[in-house]
Amino acid sequence: MEHSPITTEQVSRLIAKTLNCKAPGPDGINNFWIKRFTATHSYLVHHYNQFMKDAGNIPDFLVQGITYLLPKSQDCQDPSKYRPITCICTIYKIYTACIAEKIYKHLDTNKLLAEGQKGFIKNSQGCKEQVMIDSVVMEQAHTDIRNLYIAYSDYRKAFDSVPHSWLIHVLQIHKIDPQIINSLQQLMNKCTITLQVKVKNHRIMSDPIRIQRGIYQARYGFALH
């Protein structure tokens, strides 16, 4: 993978795709404002390229998140009865979106994307497309009266449990730009979250908790949310 710097055009384009109403992380920056203040985009590009060039320059606040624990029932004594929602810094999400776009282009150009992977493929319907393929296969087997054996595998909390060392190893196997790998490694080494729960109109916050495995933005695969 050849190295290419992040450009102002790329940052502005990705920012334009964000939703205005998304809650900000510890940086307190809403998507609405970062869209409107276009004069700041060139400054973001400058810092992003510095982060890429020297991963040691990445500030700690960039990878801090706040996890709000929302109760799913009246049983507030049971931790499993809470739904966690993590808000991450907007600046971080834009940076990782730029990286994700570069990695995707490399994988797509060199045909390194698995045929069976539909979840993060552009112009794909994801699970819906897989279900349609499965339906056609089942219908054809039924029409032709053929024996059919199908096995399904699902990994429980796959995004939450994969070790960081495996993620780095996979990036190296696919020959991702070393600067991107170093930057992502630094991001993963610094990832922390703070748990926040509301009890009787009082907000209680935990000390910062290190994220030692899994993908920090598990639900959106380094894409903008």
Side-chain angles (χ1 to χ4, degrees):
M1 179 179 177
E2 295 183 2
H3 173 72
S4 61
I6 295 172
T7 65
T8 304
E9 181 278 329
Q10 181 186 20
V11 168
S12 298
R13 175 168 45 80
L14 291 173
I15 290 175
K17 294 181 180 179
T18 62
L19 301 178
N20 294 334
C21 59
K22 291 299 180 182
D27 59 359
I29 301 175
N30 290 90
N31 292 336
F32 174 84
W33 294 112
I34 205 165
K35 279 184 183 180
R36 297 303 185 272
F37 289 106
T38 56
T40 63
H41 296 180
S42 60
Y43 292 95
L44 286 176
V45 171
H46 170 74
H47 287 293
Y48 288 163
N49 284 315
Q50 287 298 314
F51 298 160
M52 196 92 70
K53 184 178 180 181
D54 184 4
N57 287 328
I58 298 175
D60 292 342
F61 85 88
L62 194 70
V63 285
Q64 293 174 352
I66 301 177
T67 298
Y68 298 94
L69 300 176
L70 306 181
K72 296 186 292 186
S73 69
Q74 298 299 321
D75 184 11
C76 297
Q77 299 299 318
D78 185 355
S80 66
K81 301 300 182 182
Y82 287 88
R83 180 190 177 199
I85 297 180
T86 302
C87 294
I88 304 173
C89 291
T90 299
I91 297 176
Y92 167 87
K93 290 189 283 186
I94 297 169
Y95 179 50
T96 52
C98 292
I99 291 177
E101 190 173 70
K102 290 181 179 296
I103 293 176
Y104 185 91
K105 182 179 179 181
H106 168 71
L107 297 177
D108 187 45
T109 301
N110 294 281
K111 302 187 184 304
L112 297 173
L113 294 168
E115 180 65 26
Q117 173 59 265
K118 301 292 184 182
F120 299 107
I121 301 297
K122 292 182 179 179
N123 302 318
S124 170
Q125 294 296 320
C127 291
K128 184 185 295 184
E129 188 169 326
Q130 298 286 46
V131 169
M132 291 177 64
I133 293 173
D134 182 76
S135 177
V136 171
V137 172
M138 295 283 288
E139 183 65 27
Q140 185 174 0
H142 177 74
T143 302
D144 296 342
I145 314 179
R146 294 180 178 178
N147 291 329
L148 178 65
Y149 301 91
I150 299 178
Y152 299 92
S153 61
D154 185 23
Y155 295 94
R156 184 170 178 262
K157 294 186 177 296
F159 280 112
D160 301 340
S161 59
V162 60
H164 290 169
S165 58
W166 289 15
L167 295 173
I168 297 301
H169 186 57
V170 169
L171 292 172
Q172 292 170 341
I173 289 175
H174 290 83
K175 294 180 170 51
I176 302 303
D177 178 6
Q179 289 191 15
I180 289 180
I181 295 178
N182 290 336
S183 185
L184 291 176
Q185 191 165 26
Q186 283 296 319
L187 290 174
M188 288 186 285
N189 290 340
K190 294 184 176 184
C191 285
T192 61
I193 60 169
T194 300
L195 300 180
Q196 180 171 310
V197 63
K198 188 175 182 180
V199 179
K200 294 181 179 180
N201 297 324
H202 294 286
R203 294 189 180 276
I204 302 174
M205 297 186 67
S206 71
D207 293 330
I209 301 170
R210 277 283 313 279
I211 305 298
Q212 299 182 346
R213 62 174 54 233
I215 297 175
Y216 197 40
Q217 293 177 260
R219 293 191 178 183
Y220 19 93
F222 287 118
L224 282 177
H225 187 268

